[in-house]
Amino acid sequence: MKIVVLTGAGISAESGVPTFRDADGLWEGHRVEDVATPEAYDAKPSMVQKFYDARRAALAGVEPNPAHVALGRLGEVLGSDLGLVTQNIDDLHERGGSHDVIHMHGELLSALCRACDRRTPWHGELSDFPSCPGCGIPELRPDVVWFGEVPYQMDRIQGMLMRADLFVSIGTSGAVYPAAGFVQLARACGARTLELNLVPSEGSEQFHEARQGPAGELVPAWVDEVLAEL
Ligand code: BV8
């Protein structure tokens, strides 16, 4: 049984990581277009770097919740038959026991050099514009996909969606593309589709089944169901 899971900010909410659209549209006091676009970075690099420095630092104070751990358990059993794609840039899936997580919007704990394109694991700050360990040029930016930029590993993700028997979307508002379109591709290719979310998302109608509730409760229960059927 091939399963593809897509997660969004809602799966990390119970760990204390703020979501994007639950806090009256502001994101840690910023409008998305002021901090998550290449134009914003070019216009105010320090402000954007500080926004990500704060989120990177906050990771040290949060823990995976039962939803992350349940998906880790599912991956232990299914191995490569589970594809885990996340829109989140935190490392809670990895710390919850998942392997080979596809971060389609990048990762907070990685820095991307605009001069040489190298990626470097990064746990500290970038707003002091350190030199790239690879080329020595101080052009390191957060290794995240901003609006208008191309999400990572799209070919791999689309191949997984076309082969999936089941597509499950967890904790995402269905507001951002191309992630919000995955359910359509999976369904068109014959997969059953399930949404697990606190409230019905913008795309709820496109799923065969939608369950509402906190991920910390819904995801472990769903994983138990799947494991019982194997
Ligand atoms: C691209 C990374 C081309 C950085 C992010 C007009 C129409 C349609 C599309 C567009 C358009 N104009 C422009 C576009 C494209 C644009 C887009 O979709 N814009 C939207 C706003 C209209 N997309 C892009 O630019 C993307 N690139 O399209 O390139 C392309 C396409 C295909 C192939 C090749 C090339 C790039 C988008 C990536 C932007 N980067 N983040 C960072 O994180 O700082 S997006 C950001 O918001 C997050 O990464 C996340 O992915 C995204 C969506 O947020 P969610 O994760 O869903 O979180 P949200 O707060 O919205 O919702 C939380 C949900 O959880 C809620 O439903 C809530 O009810 C639920 N919840 C809360 N608590 C719980 C819970 N559920 C369960 N349990 C709980 N406890």
Side-chain angles (χ1 to χ4, degrees), residues 9 14 20-22 52 55 87 105 145 148-149 172-173 177 197 215:
E14 288 156 85
F20 301 89
R21 291 171 185 80
D22 288 341
Y52 286 96
R55 290 172 66 193
Q87 301 173 88
H105 290 165
V145 177
E149 296 186 321
T172 180
S173 60
Y177 288 82
N197 206 58

mmCIF file with all atom_site columns, all heavy atoms in Angstrom, residues 9 14 20-22 52 55 87 105 145 148-149 172-173 177 197 215, ligand 1:
data_model
loop_
_atom_site.group_PDB
_atom_site.id
_atom_site.type_symbol
_atom_site.label_atom_id
_atom_site.label_alt_id
_atom_site.label_comp_id
_atom_site.label_asym_id
_atom_site.label_entity_id
_atom_site.label_seq_id
_atom_site.pdbx_PDB_ins_code
_atom_site.Cartn_x
_atom_site.Cartn_y
_atom_site.Cartn_z
_atom_site.occupancy
_atom_site.B_iso_or_equiv
_atom_site.pdbx_formal_charge
_atom_site.auth_seq_id
_atom_site.auth_comp_id
_atom_site.auth_asym_id
_atom_site.auth_atom_id
_atom_site.pdbx_PDB_model_num
ATOM   1   N N   . ALA A 1 9   ? 1.502  23.630 8.416   1.00 0.00 ? 9   ALA A N   1
ATOM   2   C CA  . ALA A 1 9   ? 1.807  24.218 9.727   1.00 0.00 ? 9   ALA A CA  1
ATOM   3   C C   . ALA A 1 9   ? 0.933  23.654 10.842  1.00 0.00 ? 9   ALA A C   1
ATOM   4   O O   . ALA A 1 9   ? 1.336  23.610 12.009  1.00 0.00 ? 9   ALA A O   1
ATOM   5   C CB  . ALA A 1 9   ? 1.639  25.734 9.646   1.00 0.00 ? 9   ALA A CB  1
ATOM   6   N N   . GLU A 1 14  ? 0.459  22.116 17.720  1.00 0.00 ? 14  GLU A N   1
ATOM   7   C CA  . GLU A 1 14  ? 0.396  21.639 19.119  1.00 0.00 ? 14  GLU A CA  1
ATOM   8   C C   . GLU A 1 14  ? 1.786  21.536 19.748  1.00 0.00 ? 14  GLU A C   1
ATOM   9   O O   . GLU A 1 14  ? 1.923  21.303 20.939  1.00 0.00 ? 14  GLU A O   1
ATOM   10  C CB  . GLU A 1 14  ? -0.335 20.297 19.167  1.00 0.00 ? 14  GLU A CB  1
ATOM   11  C CG  . GLU A 1 14  ? -1.835 20.445 18.920  1.00 0.00 ? 14  GLU A CG  1
ATOM   12  C CD  . GLU A 1 14  ? -2.463 19.171 18.393  1.00 0.00 ? 14  GLU A CD  1
ATOM   13  O OE1 . GLU A 1 14  ? -2.825 18.303 19.199  1.00 0.00 ? 14  GLU A OE1 1
ATOM   14  O OE2 . GLU A 1 14  ? -2.590 19.059 17.151  1.00 0.00 ? 14  GLU A OE2 1
ATOM   15  N N   . PHE A 1 20  ? 0.499  29.949 9.918   1.00 0.00 ? 20  PHE A N   1
ATOM   16  C CA  . PHE A 1 20  ? 0.576  31.188 9.137   1.00 0.00 ? 20  PHE A CA  1
ATOM   17  C C   . PHE A 1 20  ? -0.710 31.950 9.135   1.00 0.00 ? 20  PHE A C   1
ATOM   18  O O   . PHE A 1 20  ? -0.738 33.162 9.154   1.00 0.00 ? 20  PHE A O   1
ATOM   19  C CB  . PHE A 1 20  ? 0.936  30.854 7.680   1.00 0.00 ? 20  PHE A CB  1
ATOM   20  C CG  . PHE A 1 20  ? 2.227  30.137 7.612   1.00 0.00 ? 20  PHE A CG  1
ATOM   21  C CD1 . PHE A 1 20  ? 2.261  28.756 7.706   1.00 0.00 ? 20  PHE A CD1 1
ATOM   22  C CD2 . PHE A 1 20  ? 3.421  30.832 7.539   1.00 0.00 ? 20  PHE A CD2 1
ATOM   23  C CE1 . PHE A 1 20  ? 3.462  28.081 7.691   1.00 0.00 ? 20  PHE A CE1 1
ATOM   24  C CE2 . PHE A 1 20  ? 4.628  30.154 7.519   1.00 0.00 ? 20  PHE A CE2 1
ATOM   25  C CZ  . PHE A 1 20  ? 4.639  28.773 7.601   1.00 0.00 ? 20  PHE A CZ  1
ATOM   26  N N   . ARG A 1 21  ? -1.837 31.195 9.038   1.00 0.00 ? 21  ARG A N   1
ATOM   27  C CA  . ARG A 1 21  ? -3.089 31.904 8.771   1.00 0.00 ? 21  ARG A CA  1
ATOM   28  C C   . ARG A 1 21  ? -4.077 31.825 9.934   1.00 0.00 ? 21  ARG A C   1
ATOM   29  O O   . ARG A 1 21  ? -5.193 32.216 9.804   1.00 0.00 ? 21  ARG A O   1
ATOM   30  C CB  . ARG A 1 21  ? -3.700 31.336 7.481   1.00 0.00 ? 21  ARG A CB  1
ATOM   31  C CG  . ARG A 1 21  ? -2.854 31.737 6.303   1.00 0.00 ? 21  ARG A CG  1
ATOM   32  C CD  . ARG A 1 21  ? -3.231 31.053 5.008   1.00 0.00 ? 21  ARG A CD  1
ATOM   33  N NE  . ARG A 1 21  ? -2.243 31.441 3.989   1.00 0.00 ? 21  ARG A NE  1
ATOM   34  C CZ  . ARG A 1 21  ? -1.040 30.879 3.897   1.00 0.00 ? 21  ARG A CZ  1
ATOM   35  N NH1 . ARG A 1 21  ? -0.683 29.911 4.740   1.00 0.00 ? 21  ARG A NH1 1
ATOM   36  N NH2 . ARG A 1 21  ? -0.170 31.289 2.994   1.00 0.00 ? 21  ARG A NH2 1
ATOM   37  N N   . ASP A 1 22  ? -3.649 31.234 11.038  1.00 0.00 ? 22  ASP A N   1
ATOM   38  C CA  . ASP A 1 22  ? -4.598 31.191 12.155  1.00 0.00 ? 22  ASP A CA  1
ATOM   39  C C   . ASP A 1 22  ? -4.507 32.479 12.953  1.00 0.00 ? 22  ASP A C   1
ATOM   40  O O   . ASP A 1 22  ? -5.414 32.896 13.600  1.00 0.00 ? 22  ASP A O   1
ATOM   41  C CB  . ASP A 1 22  ? -4.305 29.990 13.062  1.00 0.00 ? 22  ASP A CB  1
ATOM   42  C CG  . ASP A 1 22  ? -4.718 28.690 12.363  1.00 0.00 ? 22  ASP A CG  1
ATOM   43  O OD1 . ASP A 1 22  ? -5.512 28.785 11.411  1.00 0.00 ? 22  ASP A OD1 1
ATOM   44  O OD2 . ASP A 1 22  ? -4.227 27.620 12.736  1.00 0.00 ? 22  ASP A OD2 1
ATOM   45  N N   . TYR A 1 52  ? 13.708 35.064 10.029  1.00 0.00 ? 52  TYR A N   1
ATOM   46  C CA  . TYR A 1 52  ? 14.038 33.630 9.990   1.00 0.00 ? 52  TYR A CA  1
ATOM   47  C C   . TYR A 1 52  ? 14.966 33.235 11.139  1.00 0.00 ? 52  TYR A C   1
ATOM   48  O O   . TYR A 1 52  ? 14.856 32.142 11.689  1.00 0.00 ? 52  TYR A O   1
ATOM   49  C CB  . TYR A 1 52  ? 14.612 33.246 8.614   1.00 0.00 ? 52  TYR A CB  1
ATOM   50  C CG  . TYR A 1 52  ? 13.521 33.198 7.577   1.00 0.00 ? 52  TYR A CG  1
ATOM   51  C CD1 . TYR A 1 52  ? 13.271 34.300 6.748   1.00 0.00 ? 52  TYR A CD1 1
ATOM   52  C CD2 . TYR A 1 52  ? 12.668 32.103 7.503   1.00 0.00 ? 52  TYR A CD2 1
ATOM   53  C CE1 . TYR A 1 52  ? 12.228 34.271 5.841   1.00 0.00 ? 52  TYR A CE1 1
ATOM   54  C CE2 . TYR A 1 52  ? 11.617 32.073 6.606   1.00 0.00 ? 52  TYR A CE2 1
ATOM   55  C CZ  . TYR A 1 52  ? 11.389 33.164 5.782   1.00 0.00 ? 52  TYR A CZ  1
ATOM   56  O OH  . TYR A 1 52  ? 10.335 33.136 4.914   1.00 0.00 ? 52  TYR A OH  1
ATOM   57  N N   . ARG A 1 55  ? 12.735 32.445 14.010  1.00 0.00 ? 55  ARG A N   1
ATOM   58  C CA  . ARG A 1 55  ? 12.043 31.142 13.870  1.00 0.00 ? 55  ARG A CA  1
ATOM   59  C C   . ARG A 1 55  ? 13.034 29.989 14.038  1.00 0.00 ? 55  ARG A C   1
ATOM   60  O O   . ARG A 1 55  ? 12.704 28.950 14.595  1.00 0.00 ? 55  ARG A O   1
ATOM   61  C CB  . ARG A 1 55  ? 11.328 31.087 12.523  1.00 0.00 ? 55  ARG A CB  1
ATOM   62  C CG  . ARG A 1 55  ? 10.130 32.034 12.467  1.00 0.00 ? 55  ARG A CG  1
ATOM   63  C CD  . ARG A 1 55  ? 9.552  32.129 11.075  1.00 0.00 ? 55  ARG A CD  1
ATOM   64  N NE  . ARG A 1 55  ? 8.956  30.857 10.654  1.00 0.00 ? 55  ARG A NE  1
ATOM   65  C CZ  . ARG A 1 55  ? 8.608  30.621 9.381   1.00 0.00 ? 55  ARG A CZ  1
ATOM   66  N NH1 . ARG A 1 55  ? 8.824  31.533 8.449   1.00 0.00 ? 55  ARG A NH1 1
ATOM   67  N NH2 . ARG A 1 55  ? 8.066  29.465 9.049   1.00 0.00 ? 55  ARG A NH2 1
ATOM   68  N N   . GLN A 1 87  ? 5.277  20.998 3.924   1.00 0.00 ? 87  GLN A N   1
ATOM   69  C CA  . GLN A 1 87  ? 5.421  22.407 3.556   1.00 0.00 ? 87  GLN A CA  1
ATOM   70  C C   . GLN A 1 87  ? 6.161  23.139 4.680   1.00 0.00 ? 87  GLN A C   1
ATOM   71  O O   . GLN A 1 87  ? 6.528  24.304 4.522   1.00 0.00 ? 87  GLN A O   1
ATOM   72  C CB  . GLN A 1 87  ? 4.052  23.057 3.365   1.00 0.00 ? 87  GLN A CB  1
ATOM   73  C CG  . GLN A 1 87  ? 3.204  22.410 2.305   1.00 0.00 ? 87  GLN A CG  1
ATOM   74  C CD  . GLN A 1 87  ? 1.799  22.990 2.290   1.00 0.00 ? 87  GLN A CD  1
ATOM   75  O OE1 . GLN A 1 87  ? 1.521  23.986 1.616   1.00 0.00 ? 87  GLN A OE1 1
ATOM   76  N NE2 . GLN A 1 87  ? 0.915  22.373 3.046   1.00 0.00 ? 87  GLN A NE2 1
ATOM   77  N N   . HIS A 1 105 ? 9.235  23.234 0.743   1.00 0.00 ? 105 HIS A N   1
ATOM   78  C CA  . HIS A 1 105 ? 9.447  24.679 0.891   1.00 0.00 ? 105 HIS A CA  1
ATOM   79  C C   . HIS A 1 105 ? 10.740 24.985 1.634   1.00 0.00 ? 105 HIS A C   1
ATOM   80  O O   . HIS A 1 105 ? 10.908 26.098 2.130   1.00 0.00 ? 105 HIS A O   1
ATOM   81  C CB  . HIS A 1 105 ? 8.256  25.301 1.638   1.00 0.00 ? 105 HIS A CB  1
ATOM   82  C CG  . HIS A 1 105 ? 7.001  25.318 0.810   1.00 0.00 ? 105 HIS A CG  1
ATOM   83  N ND1 . HIS A 1 105 ? 5.767  25.540 1.364   1.00 0.00 ? 105 HIS A ND1 1
ATOM   84  C CD2 . HIS A 1 105 ? 6.791  25.102 -0.512  1.00 0.00 ? 105 HIS A CD2 1
ATOM   85  C CE1 . HIS A 1 105 ? 4.849  25.491 0.396   1.00 0.00 ? 105 HIS A CE1 1
ATOM   86  N NE2 . HIS A 1 105 ? 5.456  25.216 -0.733  1.00 0.00 ? 105 HIS A NE2 1
ATOM   87  N N   . VAL A 1 145 ? 11.766 28.228 0.332   1.00 0.00 ? 145 VAL A N   1
ATOM   88  C CA  . VAL A 1 145 ? 11.160 28.590 -0.956  1.00 0.00 ? 145 VAL A CA  1
ATOM   89  C C   . VAL A 1 145 ? 10.183 29.732 -0.701  1.00 0.00 ? 145 VAL A C   1
ATOM   90  O O   . VAL A 1 145 ? 9.169  29.534 -0.016  1.00 0.00 ? 145 VAL A O   1
ATOM   91  C CB  . VAL A 1 145 ? 10.428 27.378 -1.566  1.00 0.00 ? 145 VAL A CB  1
ATOM   92  C CG1 . VAL A 1 145 ? 9.735  27.783 -2.867  1.00 0.00 ? 145 VAL A CG1 1
ATOM   93  C CG2 . VAL A 1 145 ? 11.417 26.238 -1.813  1.00 0.00 ? 145 VAL A CG2 1
ATOM   94  N N   . GLY A 1 148 ? 6.722  32.827 -5.360  1.00 0.00 ? 148 GLY A N   1
ATOM   95  C CA  . GLY A 1 148 ? 7.322  33.160 -6.655  1.00 0.00 ? 148 GLY A CA  1
ATOM   96  C C   . GLY A 1 148 ? 8.532  32.299 -6.951  1.00 0.00 ? 148 GLY A C   1
ATOM   97  O O   . GLY A 1 148 ? 9.021  32.288 -8.081  1.00 0.00 ? 148 GLY A O   1
ATOM   98  N N   . GLU A 1 149 ? 9.021  31.530 -5.967  1.00 0.00 ? 149 GLU A N   1
ATOM   99  C CA  . GLU A 1 149 ? 10.147 30.621 -6.212  1.00 0.00 ? 149 GLU A CA  1
ATOM   100 C C   . GLU A 1 149 ? 9.625  29.204 -6.419  1.00 0.00 ? 149 GLU A C   1
ATOM   101 O O   . GLU A 1 149 ? 8.500  28.874 -6.031  1.00 0.00 ? 149 GLU A O   1
ATOM   102 C CB  . GLU A 1 149 ? 11.132 30.677 -5.041  1.00 0.00 ? 149 GLU A CB  1
ATOM   103 C CG  . GLU A 1 149 ? 11.769 32.058 -4.887  1.00 0.00 ? 149 GLU A CG  1
ATOM   104 C CD  . GLU A 1 149 ? 12.866 32.115 -3.834  1.00 0.00 ? 149 GLU A CD  1
ATOM   105 O OE1 . GLU A 1 149 ? 12.725 31.467 -2.764  1.00 0.00 ? 149 GLU A OE1 1
ATOM   106 O OE2 . GLU A 1 149 ? 13.864 32.822 -4.063  1.00 0.00 ? 149 GLU A OE2 1
ATOM   107 N N   . THR A 1 172 ? -3.099 21.565 6.867   1.00 0.00 ? 172 THR A N   1
ATOM   108 C CA  . THR A 1 172 ? -2.793 22.628 5.915   1.00 0.00 ? 172 THR A CA  1
ATOM   109 C C   . THR A 1 172 ? -4.084 23.275 5.437   1.00 0.00 ? 172 THR A C   1
ATOM   110 O O   . THR A 1 172 ? -5.104 22.604 5.254   1.00 0.00 ? 172 THR A O   1
ATOM   111 C CB  . THR A 1 172 ? -1.933 22.123 4.741   1.00 0.00 ? 172 THR A CB  1
ATOM   112 O OG1 . THR A 1 172 ? -1.661 23.200 3.845   1.00 0.00 ? 172 THR A OG1 1
ATOM   113 C CG2 . THR A 1 172 ? -2.618 21.006 3.984   1.00 0.00 ? 172 THR A CG2 1
ATOM   114 N N   . SER A 1 173 ? -4.011 24.574 5.198   1.00 0.00 ? 173 SER A N   1
ATOM   115 C CA  . SER A 1 173 ? -5.220 25.333 4.844   1.00 0.00 ? 173 SER A CA  1
ATOM   116 C C   . SER A 1 173 ? -5.580 25.182 3.377   1.00 0.00 ? 173 SER A C   1
ATOM   117 O O   . SER A 1 173 ? -6.639 25.605 2.943   1.00 0.00 ? 173 SER A O   1
ATOM   118 C CB  . SER A 1 173 ? -5.001 26.832 5.150   1.00 0.00 ? 173 SER A CB  1
ATOM   119 O OG  . SER A 1 173 ? -3.889 27.299 4.389   1.00 0.00 ? 173 SER A OG  1
ATOM   120 N N   . TYR A 1 177 ? -0.275 27.047 -3.487  1.00 0.00 ? 177 TYR A N   1
ATOM   121 C CA  . TYR A 1 177 ? 0.014  26.108 -4.576  1.00 0.00 ? 177 TYR A CA  1
ATOM   122 C C   . TYR A 1 177 ? 1.517  26.023 -4.785  1.00 0.00 ? 177 TYR A C   1
ATOM   123 O O   . TYR A 1 177 ? 2.239  26.961 -4.419  1.00 0.00 ? 177 TYR A O   1
ATOM   124 C CB  . TYR A 1 177 ? -0.699 26.593 -5.852  1.00 0.00 ? 177 TYR A CB  1
ATOM   125 C CG  . TYR A 1 177 ? -2.199 26.391 -5.756  1.00 0.00 ? 177 TYR A CG  1
ATOM   126 C CD1 . TYR A 1 177 ? -2.989 27.325 -5.072  1.00 0.00 ? 177 TYR A CD1 1
ATOM   127 C CD2 . TYR A 1 177 ? -2.801 25.257 -6.265  1.00 0.00 ? 177 TYR A CD2 1
ATOM   128 C CE1 . TYR A 1 177 ? -4.359 27.133 -4.935  1.00 0.00 ? 177 TYR A CE1 1
ATOM   129 C CE2 . TYR A 1 177 ? -4.172 25.060 -6.134  1.00 0.00 ? 177 TYR A CE2 1
ATOM   130 C CZ  . TYR A 1 177 ? -4.929 25.989 -5.458  1.00 0.00 ? 177 TYR A CZ  1
ATOM   131 O OH  . TYR A 1 177 ? -6.278 25.790 -5.309  1.00 0.00 ? 177 TYR A OH  1
ATOM   132 N N   . ASN A 1 197 ? -7.642 17.698 9.563   1.00 0.00 ? 197 ASN A N   1
ATOM   133 C CA  . ASN A 1 197 ? -7.396 19.107 9.810   1.00 0.00 ? 197 ASN A CA  1
ATOM   134 C C   . ASN A 1 197 ? -8.291 19.605 10.935  1.00 0.00 ? 197 ASN A C   1
ATOM   135 O O   . ASN A 1 197 ? -9.359 19.047 11.159  1.00 0.00 ? 197 ASN A O   1
ATOM   136 C CB  . ASN A 1 197 ? -7.644 19.913 8.512   1.00 0.00 ? 197 ASN A CB  1
ATOM   137 C CG  . ASN A 1 197 ? -6.849 21.195 8.483   1.00 0.00 ? 197 ASN A CG  1
ATOM   138 O OD1 . ASN A 1 197 ? -5.617 21.185 8.568   1.00 0.00 ? 197 ASN A OD1 1
ATOM   139 N ND2 . ASN A 1 197 ? -7.562 22.325 8.387   1.00 0.00 ? 197 ASN A ND2 1
ATOM   140 N N   . ALA A 1 215 ? -4.454 17.519 15.191  1.00 0.00 ? 215 ALA A N   1
ATOM   141 C CA  . ALA A 1 215 ? -3.588 16.489 14.590  1.00 0.00 ? 215 ALA A CA  1
ATOM   142 C C   . ALA A 1 215 ? -3.057 15.533 15.659  1.00 0.00 ? 215 ALA A C   1
ATOM   143 O O   . ALA A 1 215 ? -2.935 14.323 15.414  1.00 0.00 ? 215 ALA A O   1
ATOM   144 C CB  . ALA A 1 215 ? -2.435 17.167 13.855  1.00 0.00 ? 215 ALA A CB  1
HETATM 145 C C1  . BV8 B 2 .   ? 5.227  28.438 -7.262  1.00 0.00 ? 1   BV8 B C1  1
HETATM 146 C C2  . BV8 B 2 .   ? 8.175  28.836 3.076   1.00 0.00 ? 1   BV8 B C2  1
HETATM 147 C C3  . BV8 B 2 .   ? 5.687  27.986 -9.575  1.00 0.00 ? 1   BV8 B C3  1
HETATM 148 C C4  . BV8 B 2 .   ? 8.813  29.959 3.732   1.00 0.00 ? 1   BV8 B C4  1
HETATM 149 C C5  . BV8 B 2 .   ? 6.013  29.267 2.053   1.00 0.00 ? 1   BV8 B C5  1
HETATM 150 C C6  . BV8 B 2 .   ? -2.765 32.953 -7.675  1.00 0.00 ? 1   BV8 B C6  1
HETATM 151 C C7  . BV8 B 2 .   ? -3.525 31.787 -7.599  1.00 0.00 ? 1   BV8 B C7  1
HETATM 152 C C8  . BV8 B 2 .   ? -2.928 30.573 -7.295  1.00 0.00 ? 1   BV8 B C8  1
HETATM 153 C C9  . BV8 B 2 .   ? -1.550 30.496 -7.039  1.00 0.00 ? 1   BV8 B C9  1
HETATM 154 C C10 . BV8 B 2 .   ? -0.808 31.648 -7.082  1.00 0.00 ? 1   BV8 B C10 1
HETATM 155 C C11 . BV8 B 2 .   ? -1.399 32.872 -7.391  1.00 0.00 ? 1   BV8 B C11 1
HETATM 156 N N1  . BV8 B 2 .   ? -0.433 33.816 -7.382  1.00 0.00 ? 1   BV8 B N1  1
HETATM 157 C C12 . BV8 B 2 .   ? 0.749  33.219 -7.066  1.00 0.00 ? 1   BV8 B C12 1
HETATM 158 C C13 . BV8 B 2 .   ? 0.531  31.906 -6.896  1.00 0.00 ? 1   BV8 B C13 1
HETATM 159 C C14 . BV8 B 2 .   ? 1.544  30.886 -6.551  1.00 0.00 ? 1   BV8 B C14 1
HETATM 160 C C15 . BV8 B 2 .   ? 1.874  30.964 -5.077  1.00 0.00 ? 1   BV8 B C15 1
HETATM 161 C C16 . BV8 B 2 .   ? 0.619  30.786 -4.241  1.00 0.00 ? 1   BV8 B C16 1
HETATM 162 O O1  . BV8 B 2 .   ? 0.099  29.689 -4.105  1.00 0.00 ? 1   BV8 B O1  1
HETATM 163 N N2  . BV8 B 2 .   ? 0.118  31.898 -3.669  1.00 0.00 ? 1   BV8 B N2  1
HETATM 164 C C17 . BV8 B 2 .   ? -1.097 31.815 -2.865  1.00 0.00 ? 1   BV8 B C17 1
HETATM 165 C C18 . BV8 B 2 .   ? -0.916 32.643 -1.593  1.00 0.00 ? 1   BV8 B C18 1
HETATM 166 C C19 . BV8 B 2 .   ? -2.275 32.281 -3.696  1.00 0.00 ? 1   BV8 B C19 1
HETATM 167 N N3  . BV8 B 2 .   ? 2.773  29.866 -4.828  1.00 0.00 ? 1   BV8 B N3  1
HETATM 168 C C20 . BV8 B 2 .   ? 4.093  30.030 -5.013  1.00 0.00 ? 1   BV8 B C20 1
HETATM 169 O O2  . BV8 B 2 .   ? 4.620  31.076 -5.286  1.00 0.00 ? 1   BV8 B O2  1
HETATM 170 C C21 . BV8 B 2 .   ? 4.929  28.764 -4.896  1.00 0.00 ? 1   BV8 B C21 1
HETATM 171 N N4  . BV8 B 2 .   ? 5.758  28.641 -6.061  1.00 0.00 ? 1   BV8 B N4  1
HETATM 172 O O3  . BV8 B 2 .   ? 4.031  28.388 -7.468  1.00 0.00 ? 1   BV8 B O3  1
HETATM 173 O O4  . BV8 B 2 .   ? 6.180  28.286 -8.260  1.00 0.00 ? 1   BV8 B O4  1
HETATM 174 C C22 . BV8 B 2 .   ? 5.730  26.519 -9.760  1.00 0.00 ? 1   BV8 B C22 1
HETATM 175 C C23 . BV8 B 2 .   ? 4.611  25.738 -9.467  1.00 0.00 ? 1   BV8 B C23 1
HETATM 176 C C24 . BV8 B 2 .   ? 4.664  24.371 -9.681  1.00 0.00 ? 1   BV8 B C24 1
HETATM 177 C C25 . BV8 B 2 .   ? 5.831  23.784 -10.183 1.00 0.00 ? 1   BV8 B C25 1
HETATM 178 C C26 . BV8 B 2 .   ? 6.943  24.581 -10.452 1.00 0.00 ? 1   BV8 B C26 1
HETATM 179 C C27 . BV8 B 2 .   ? 6.885  25.940 -10.248 1.00 0.00 ? 1   BV8 B C27 1
HETATM 180 C C28 . BV8 B 2 .   ? 5.824  28.808 -3.685  1.00 0.00 ? 1   BV8 B C28 1
HETATM 181 C C29 . BV8 B 2 .   ? 4.988  28.787 -2.431  1.00 0.00 ? 1   BV8 B C29 1
HETATM 182 C C30 . BV8 B 2 .   ? 5.893  28.605 -1.206  1.00 0.00 ? 1   BV8 B C30 1
HETATM 183 C C31 . BV8 B 2 .   ? 5.842  29.819 -0.332  1.00 0.00 ? 1   BV8 B C31 1
HETATM 184 N N5  . BV8 B 2 .   ? 6.575  29.550 0.908   1.00 0.00 ? 1   BV8 B N5  1
HETATM 185 N N6  . BV8 B 2 .   ? 6.729  29.009 3.153   1.00 0.00 ? 1   BV8 B N6  1
HETATM 186 C C32 . BV8 B 2 .   ? 8.442  30.041 5.174   1.00 0.00 ? 1   BV8 B C32 1
HETATM 187 O O5  . BV8 B 2 .   ? 7.862  29.091 5.723   1.00 0.00 ? 1   BV8 B O5  1
HETATM 188 O O6  . BV8 B 2 .   ? 8.756  31.086 5.738   1.00 0.00 ? 1   BV8 B O6  1
HETATM 189 S S1  . BV8 B 2 .   ? 4.341  29.141 2.133   1.00 0.00 ? 1   BV8 B S1  1
HETATM 190 C C33 . BV8 B 2 .   ? 3.796  28.979 3.751   1.00 0.00 ? 1   BV8 B C33 1
HETATM 191 O O7  . BV8 B 2 .   ? 2.369  28.938 3.727   1.00 0.00 ? 1   BV8 B O7  1
HETATM 192 C C34 . BV8 B 2 .   ? 4.167  27.646 4.347   1.00 0.00 ? 1   BV8 B C34 1
HETATM 193 O O8  . BV8 B 2 .   ? 5.301  27.070 3.826   1.00 0.00 ? 1   BV8 B O8  1
HETATM 194 C C35 . BV8 B 2 .   ? 3.016  26.755 4.038   1.00 0.00 ? 1   BV8 B C35 1
HETATM 195 O O9  . BV8 B 2 .   ? 3.372  25.882 3.043   1.00 0.00 ? 1   BV8 B O9  1
HETATM 196 C C36 . BV8 B 2 .   ? 2.055  27.631 3.360   1.00 0.00 ? 1   BV8 B C36 1
HETATM 197 C C37 . BV8 B 2 .   ? 0.639  27.239 3.661   1.00 0.00 ? 1   BV8 B C37 1
HETATM 198 O O10 . BV8 B 2 .   ? 0.437  27.328 5.032   1.00 0.00 ? 1   BV8 B O10 1
HETATM 199 P P1  . BV8 B 2 .   ? -0.128 26.045 5.835   1.00 0.00 ? 1   BV8 B P1  1
HETATM 200 O O11 . BV8 B 2 .   ? 1.000  25.120 6.077   1.00 0.00 ? 1   BV8 B O11 1
HETATM 201 O O12 . BV8 B 2 .   ? -1.329 25.493 5.176   1.00 0.00 ? 1   BV8 B O12 1
HETATM 202 O O13 . BV8 B 2 .   ? -0.495 26.757 7.172   1.00 0.00 ? 1   BV8 B O13 1
HETATM 203 P P2  . BV8 B 2 .   ? -1.764 27.685 7.400   1.00 0.00 ? 1   BV8 B P2  1
HETATM 204 O O14 . BV8 B 2 .   ? -1.489 28.521 8.593   1.00 0.00 ? 1   BV8 B O14 1
HETATM 205 O O15 . BV8 B 2 .   ? -2.175 28.334 6.124   1.00 0.00 ? 1   BV8 B O15 1
HETATM 206 O O16 . BV8 B 2 .   ? -2.900 26.637 7.761   1.00 0.00 ? 1   BV8 B O16 1
HETATM 207 C C38 . BV8 B 2 .   ? -2.751 25.838 8.918   1.00 0.00 ? 1   BV8 B C38 1
HETATM 208 C C39 . BV8 B 2 .   ? -3.886 24.838 8.880   1.00 0.00 ? 1   BV8 B C39 1
HETATM 209 O O17 . BV8 B 2 .   ? -3.735 23.962 9.995   1.00 0.00 ? 1   BV8 B O17 1
HETATM 210 C C40 . BV8 B 2 .   ? -5.242 25.506 9.010   1.00 0.00 ? 1   BV8 B C40 1
HETATM 211 O O18 . BV8 B 2 .   ? -6.121 24.890 8.084   1.00 0.00 ? 1   BV8 B O18 1
HETATM 212 C C41 . BV8 B 2 .   ? -5.676 25.161 10.437  1.00 0.00 ? 1   BV8 B C41 1
HETATM 213 O O19 . BV8 B 2 .   ? -7.085 24.935 10.529  1.00 0.00 ? 1   BV8 B O19 1
HETATM 214 C C42 . BV8 B 2 .   ? -4.953 23.872 10.684  1.00 0.00 ? 1   BV8 B C42 1
HETATM 215 N N7  . BV8 B 2 .   ? -4.599 23.633 12.083  1.00 0.00 ? 1   BV8 B N7  1
HETATM 216 C C43 . BV8 B 2 .   ? -4.271 24.559 13.038  1.00 0.00 ? 1   BV8 B C43 1
HETATM 217 N N8  . BV8 B 2 .   ? -4.018 23.913 14.207  1.00 0.00 ? 1   BV8 B N8  1
HETATM 218 C C44 . BV8 B 2 .   ? -4.176 22.579 13.971  1.00 0.00 ? 1   BV8 B C44 1
HETATM 219 C C45 . BV8 B 2 .   ? -4.546 22.405 12.630  1.00 0.00 ? 1   BV8 B C45 1
HETATM 220 N N9  . BV8 B 2 .   ? -4.803 21.193 12.104  1.00 0.00 ? 1   BV8 B N9  1
HETATM 221 C C46 . BV8 B 2 .   ? -4.672 20.120 12.916  1.00 0.00 ? 1   BV8 B C46 1
HETATM 222 N N10 . BV8 B 2 .   ? -4.311 20.206 14.220  1.00 0.00 ? 1   BV8 B N10 1
HETATM 223 C C47 . BV8 B 2 .   ? -4.067 21.412 14.773  1.00 0.00 ? 1   BV8 B C47 1
HETATM 224 N N11 . BV8 B 2 .   ? -3.724 21.485 16.075  1.00 0.00 ? 1   BV8 B N11 1
#
